[in-house]
Amino acid sequence: MKVKPYERITFKRIIKSKSTEQFSGVPYVMTLLNCLLSAWYGLPFVSKNNILVSTINGTGAVIESVYVLIFIIYAPKKEKARIMALFAFVLTVFSAVALISLFALHGNGRKLLCGLAATIFSIIMYASPLSIMRLVIKTKSVEFMPFFLSLFVFLCGTSWFIYGLLGRDAFITVPNGFGCGLGTMQLILYFIYRDNKGLSSPEMKKQPPGNGTVELGAEKQGNGKVPQDEQV
């Protein structure tokens, strides 16, 4: 249920350089799936009194679609193929959930399916920064975990967590409570290592450009997971 304001900085850089550089498109595609599922969950025939959820996430889905399109345009051939395959997966999952809930389920069964799907992918999206947090601890550097990134994760998770509590909706409260806690952990890490914004790990310094990713929950090409973008 999140569209991150700091993403605009990343895509301004991508468009200006006409290259995705070391950024990964995976988080944007997964955020798109989360927005689609959350927007569907908020529709009146799925869950009552959640039209705000649909409105915000519907807008988010449109914005994330633009981000994904820009990424595909400027990504190298190998990364472009990977993102397009993931994008096809996102459309397949959303279509399956929407069609099953629309034609095979009714009432509480429909709400349960859509709520579980939205919750699972919301948690997956929030869990993406775990790899960057590990990198921060390893390198003692916040270079790849900007302050505003951590701040917006915290604010977004907290606001939706409170919204879920007020509406007594566990499908909103649970994943965003997780996001609130994760955002708090990121802020704590940031203030611990805020004076060091350069990489202290010799291995990372030796790593050539383009050999990994510096994006939220991103995958290092060919060697495990390394994260998120470096926005200011």
Side-chain angles (χ1 to χ4, degrees):
M1 305 176 189
K2 309 82 197 162
V3 178
K4 310 171 186 71
Y6 54 80
E7 290 177 344
R8 290 175 298 178
I9 301 174
T10 300
F11 282 88
K12 283 182 180 179
R13 173 172 167 174
I14 288 175
I15 294 172
K16 185 176 181 179
S17 65
K18 296 183 178 180
S19 170
T20 56
E21 302 177 23
Q22 294 178 311
F23 299 119
S24 169
V26 174
Y28 303 107
V29 183
M30 297 310 296
T31 301
L32 171 60
L33 176 57
N34 178 69
C35 285
L36 288 171
L37 291 172
S38 296
W40 184 261
Y41 172 75
L43 292 175
F45 59 84
V46 176
S47 63
K48 297 179 180 180
N49 303 318
N50 271 331
I51 194 63
L52 180 63
V53 175
S54 285
T55 303
I56 292 177
N57 284 283
T59 304
V62 173
I63 295 174
E64 291 296 337
S65 296
V66 173
Y67 287 159
V68 171
L69 179 60
I70 293 173
F71 195 92
I72 290 175
I73 291 173
Y74 292 110
K77 183 179 292 186
K78 185 176 181 180
E79 180 70 4
K80 183 179 297 186
R82 187 171 71 121
I83 296 304
M84 290 182 69
L86 187 58
F87 182 63
F89 166 77
V90 164
L91 294 181
T92 300
V93 170
F94 174 69
S95 298
V97 171
L99 291 174
I100 292 174
S101 64
L102 196 59
F103 297 108
L105 299 173
H106 303 279
N108 288 333
R110 176 182 292 169
K111 181 178 180 180
L112 181 62
L113 173 66
C114 297
L116 283 175
T119 297
I120 290 170
F121 283 99
S122 184
I123 290 176
I124 289 175
M125 187 187 67
Y126 268 133
S128 298
L130 290 176
S131 55
I132 188 60
M133 291 169 67
R134 181 176 60 185
L135 181 65
V136 168
I137 295 173
K138 181 180 179 181
T139 63
K140 295 179 172 57
S141 166
V142 295
E143 181 175 0
F144 298 136
M145 192 179 74
F147 172 73
F148 285 108
L149 166 64
S150 305
L151 178 62
F152 280 116
V153 168
F154 170 75
L155 293 177
C156 186
T158 302
S159 59
W160 280 110
F161 175 68
I162 294 174
Y163 178 88
L165 285 177
L166 293 176
R168 298 181 180 180
D169 192 326
F171 294 124
I172 296 177
T173 303
V174 173
N176 289 289
F178 178 80
C180 175
L182 186 62
T184 301
M185 292 171 61
Q186 284 185 262
L187 287 174
I188 291 174
L189 275 181
Y190 184 89
F191 282 107
I192 291 175
Y193 298 114
R194 67 185 183 279
D195 294 328
N196 185 5
K197 295 188 178 181
L199 288 176
S200 59
S201 169
E203 292 79 5
M204 292 297 293
K205 289 180 180 179
K206 292 178 182 178
Q207 185 177 332
N211 190 39
T213 60
V214 286
E215 175 59 73
L216 179 65
E219 286 187 14
K220 204 176 165 187
Q221 295 180 8
N223 188 25
K225 292 186 177 179
V226 172
Q228 74 202 64
D229 47 326
E230 56 171 43
Q231 302 100 338
V232 180

